[in-house]
Amino acid sequence: MNRITQCLSIGPFASAERAPQLLAAGVTHVLNVSDGPSHLSPADGFADVAWVSMRDDRRLTRETTVWALDAVHAFAAVPGAHVYVHCVLGMVRSPTILWLYLIALGVPPKDARTWIESRAPRASAGSARMVDREHVLLAQMHGLMHY
């Protein structure tokens, strides 16, 4: 797990075996952004668990982008939350979604990428396989209108 901000972390798939480690690190909410369903649930001790299905070998749709941004925001807005955004390896999808979320909050894209990649050196925030300039503009506008 790589902590990016006080309440946002990214990393590899949140399996049932990893649940105790995540809980010990203070994770309260889990967002799965992989192409397979979550293995965790609130029954495992988390306040909430959500899944936004996506692949890392194609562009995100507008709908999936907004759905993921809103899911991160809903979790992060809970007082005392620590949100763990994960994909399979924690290298492309989760860093990209977190990058877009930071942009939605008003962080300049280059700064958001630096924050993520300096704390998770194997991460590729804003992967060109998944997003382009239109996604950045979408995140900025959606953030201004909703966050």
Side-chain angles (χ1 to χ4, degrees), residues 11-14 31-39 50-60 64 67-68 85-94 97 129-130:
F13 198 81
L31 177 61
N32 172 5
V33 294
S34 72
D35 54 358
S38 296
H39 291 188
W51 174 36
V52 177
S53 181
M54 66 183 66
R55 296 176 52 143
D56 64 1
D57 62 349
R58 60 180 63 149
R59 295 262 187 251
L60 286 173
T64 300
W67 185 17
V85 183
H86 75 84
C87 49
V88 175
L89 298 175
M91 294 172 49
V92 178
R93 285 170 277 202
S94 57
I97 293 303
R129 294 187 313 208
M130 294 181 68

Side-chain angles (χ1 to χ4, degrees), residues 31-134:
L31 177 61
N32 172 5
V33 294
S34 72
D35 54 358
S38 296
H39 291 188
L40 300 178
S41 74
D44 295 305
F46 300 97
D48 208 346
V49 176
W51 174 36
V52 177
S53 181
M54 66 183 66
R55 296 176 52 143
D56 64 1
D57 62 349
R58 60 180 63 149
R59 295 262 187 251
L60 286 173
T61 66
R62 178 181 181 85
E63 294 78 17
T64 300
T65 302
V66 169
W67 185 17
L69 291 174
D70 287 347
V72 175
H73 187 71
F75 286 173
V78 173
H82 178 181
V83 183
Y84 181 67
V85 183
H86 75 84
C87 49
V88 175
L89 298 175
M91 294 172 49
V92 178
R93 285 170 277 202
S94 57
T96 295
I97 293 303
L98 191 55
W99 178 71
L100 288 170
Y101 180 64
L102 293 172
I103 292 168
L105 294 179
V107 177
K110 185 177 178 182
D111 292 349
R113 179 175 283 116
T114 299
W115 290 1
I116 293 167
E117 293 179 356
S118 67
R119 291 166 176 89
R122 296 178 58 213
S124 177
S127 170
R129 294 187 313 208
M130 294 181 68
V131 298
D132 57 25
R133 180 74 181 136
E134 294 300 315

